[in-house]
Amino acid sequence: MMIETAVVVEYLMPSWWEIKLAVAASVFVIVSYWFFTFQGGDGGSGYGYRSPLLENSDDGILDDKDKMVQLKGDLQTYSPYLIKVELLAAKNLIGANLNGTSDPYAIITCGSEKRFSSMVPGSRNPMWGEEFNFSVDELPVQINVTIYDWDIIWKSAVLGSVTVPIESEGQSTAIWHTLDSPSGQVCLHVKTIKLPVNSSRGINGYAGANARRRITLDKQGPTVVHQKPGPLQTIFNLLPDEVVERRFSCALERSFLYHGRMYVSAWHICFHSNVFSKQMKVVIPFGDIDEIRRSQHAFINPAITIILRMGAGGHGVPPLGSPDGRVRYKFASFWNRNHALRALQCAAKNYRAMLEAEKKERAESALRAHSSSIGGSRRRAKAPEDTASKPEKLQAFIKEEVLVGIYNDVFPCTAEQFYNLLLSDDSSFTNEYRSARKDTNLNMGQWHAADEYDGQVREITLRSICKSPMCPPDTAMTEYQHIVLSADKKKLVFETVQQAHDVPFGSYFEVHCRWCAETSGENSSVLDIKAGAHFKKWCVMQSKIKSGAINEYKKEVELMLDVARSCIKSHTAGGEIHNSSSSPTVIQEISYHRLG
């Protein structure tokens, strides 16, 4: 009897495996309930990074055929007009689902810019209230609005589209536009603003696609750097110089979690997923990010929410909506959410710092070019005492921190002779040296005083021969020169900034050089030469370019010194060498505070 009872009990009691299965199923049901009930919210809140600037295929998912023109955060890129499109609502849309409803979202296109609205689940009369900003160079333009029905697995179906012409600046009232489909209308409010000439769209919060990265063919040069493309190029078609700095395994929250990988570069946060053969690609420029904060998915899964600024719109996949009109993307299922959050916040701060550094560098380059231009020679040189009395306003011509020593030896002339025979406006040294290199199209400006720098400056343009295998046969080059002779004429500082225009990444760096000649005898001086590569912004081949530039300049110094010695020797043989300056106003004498 006892044996029979034990058998019955063993038969009725569940096994340990059945208990675990029941618990797992219960947890799944609870999670599913919370997910579908609260998928519209953040699912949690937290503190995170906040930006300091409160500033393409048939199914609407960006595919490889859409060559995205990714434009880096150039705050000096301007467009005359800003078009603000407010997507208010739609009504009487086609019911694409089996229950007679739709899951509509819109793609708004203006020129080459494409923005995604959020998806409204289970509605034929969605309410959006979202704004999209587009910057255009001229009017008229056309705004295209296409509404799709989101599908978890299959291709999104088109519910209708409409094209609205924008012919002049001004503001329209909210207008219902009929879609080119059997049923449906969309309500749009369009406002066109003419921007001030000197305004910066990035600073004003209008930094759309055109303000992110503009690299035209004439600026890129005729050559291409051949390197193995990474995922940012093969998946997202970003530019070759953009590399992955961080990557994370995570999932994008939509109707359910689409698992994939997140790639973080200096300019974008990218996400790619391929679930059930449905490609999901999101490309979020750092310039469009307003906040990066911690959140929760279904209350139990730590997540990160990236909130975009007002008017930015979604990029690549319909984002999640919010009551304040800012769209957002939520990513969950990180291995370490807090680590990923800190990495994203750090990348966003580095992006802002990089833009500020580039902005400062552009201002310095523009100042140098303005001061050294040929037209600047018409300005009247100020008296030496005026320059010495206002040292706080003087600018550094080169970046001393990048310089490394490449030559230090005795040279057969004094500092004053060095200027008179090699660097003065009447000297033939520069022509002879450039001819020895077989450079062409040499155009030299005259030495003249500059308000921003002590001493004298001038500008030289030419086409220079390139010997690097990565470069074209020759390149257009601009060289800004700066010279200072001490009051006792025993110390000379000659500085140059070289900018090559047609080489790969030519706009990213400059070659800075300093020649310092200090008289040590009756006809001799100690010549010290330093050079280095100054990078105005980071690039993928920075270390290689830096070492290559220094090594190349070392070779050029040997040729320059040979030509200089030959020039001095010819003048010495002709009895023309002298120690007095033929034109006292050519060199501006200054105090030793600059040369010490």
Side-chain angles (χ1 to χ4, degrees), residues 12 37 102 130 144 202 217 345 388 395 419 446 495 509 590:
L12 294 178
T37 304
S102 295
E130 296 174 4
N144 179 267
L217 294 177
Q345 293 174 350
Q395 304 286 331
Y419 168 77
Q446 300 291 310
E495 299 172 331
F509 71 97
I590 65 169

Side-chain angles (χ1 to χ4, degrees), residues 367-374 376-377 379 397 425 445-460 479-484 494-495 586-588:
L367 178 65
R368 189 187 301 120
H370 174 72
S371 301
S372 305
S373 62
I374 298 175
S377 62
R379 292 181 293 176
F397 196 78
D425 289 330
Q446 300 291 310
W447 288 110
H448 61 274
D451 296 336
E452 301 84 6
Y453 309 103
D454 51 358
Q456 306 272 319
V457 294
R458 72 176 177 183
E459 178 182 352
I460 296 178
E479 181 173 294
Y480 305 106
Q481 298 183 345
H482 173 231
I483 191 169
V484 181
F494 173 58
E495 299 172 331
V586 173
I587 294 295
Q588 186 174 351

